[in-house]
Amino acid sequence: MAKQDAFTTEEWTLLRLAPSLVAGGTAAADPSGLFSSIKESFAGAKSMAEAFKTNSGLELFTALAADRSIPGMPDPKALLGEGSRDQQMLNLKNAVLERVKSAVALVAAKASPAEADAYRQMLAAVAQQAADASKEGGFLGF
């Protein structure tokens, strides 16, 4: 079972930010306006909260849920890079994917198999909920 002290400060920050990065990356994959982006972000956060509740018997999830500190956010310039808007969105998607892969590898290496599986499932659920939160196309989102 993994506790917070099993991870470095940078690793712990990555584990905490990965679900938000997944929700943001999912929203960026097919931008659909301000209100839709807000709905996607809230859906991702709700899915994360549900995962914390569902997996409250796992030490990693208990520690993640108990940590009320505000993690340092990645530098937007580092995530977006240079180039056109399309290139920056591609850079963002790649940066999010790399960070999520790193977070999953960390949990697989330092946590129990049950915690690693639950963490992967949480990230997938966050992505799915964020993607399903907003309807694409139509007039004014209808």
Side-chain angles (χ1 to χ4, degrees):
M1 300 273 248
K3 294 182 181 180
Q4 182 174 349
D5 60 3
F7 301 94
T8 67
T9 301
E10 293 80 20
E11 291 171 342
W12 188 251
T13 298
L14 177 62
L15 295 184
R16 292 187 60 225
L17 287 177
S20 298
L21 291 172
V22 167
T26 301
D30 191 11
S32 53
L34 175 64
F35 292 113
S36 293
S37 294
I38 292 169
K39 284 172 41 177
E40 291 161 349
S41 294
F42 277 115
K46 180 180 176 192
S47 181
M48 185 175 70
E50 289 170 1
F52 285 171
K53 185 176 179 181
T54 300
N55 296 297
S56 63
L58 298 174
E59 202 163 27
L60 175 64
F61 282 81
T62 300
L64 287 168
D67 188 346
R68 300 286 188 218
S69 66
I70 299 173
M73 295 301 292
D75 177 27
K77 189 73 167 170
L79 294 175
L80 295 174
E82 300 293 330
S84 67
R85 185 177 187 320
D86 289 340
Q87 181 60 50
Q88 288 181 336
M89 287 297 104
L90 181 60
N91 294 344
L92 174 65
K93 292 173 199 174
N94 290 331
V96 166
L97 185 57
E98 287 306 312
R99 282 170 174 79
V100 168
K101 285 180 181 179
S102 294
V104 168
L106 273 170
V107 173
K110 294 188 175 189
S112 72
E115 289 170 324
D117 187 48
Y119 190 81
R120 282 190 301 273
Q121 288 178 14
M122 175 186 64
L123 295 177
V126 166
Q128 187 66 51
Q129 292 295 324
D132 291 345
S134 178
K135 303 291 182 217
E136 306 300 327
F139 178 69
L140 296 176
F142 297 102

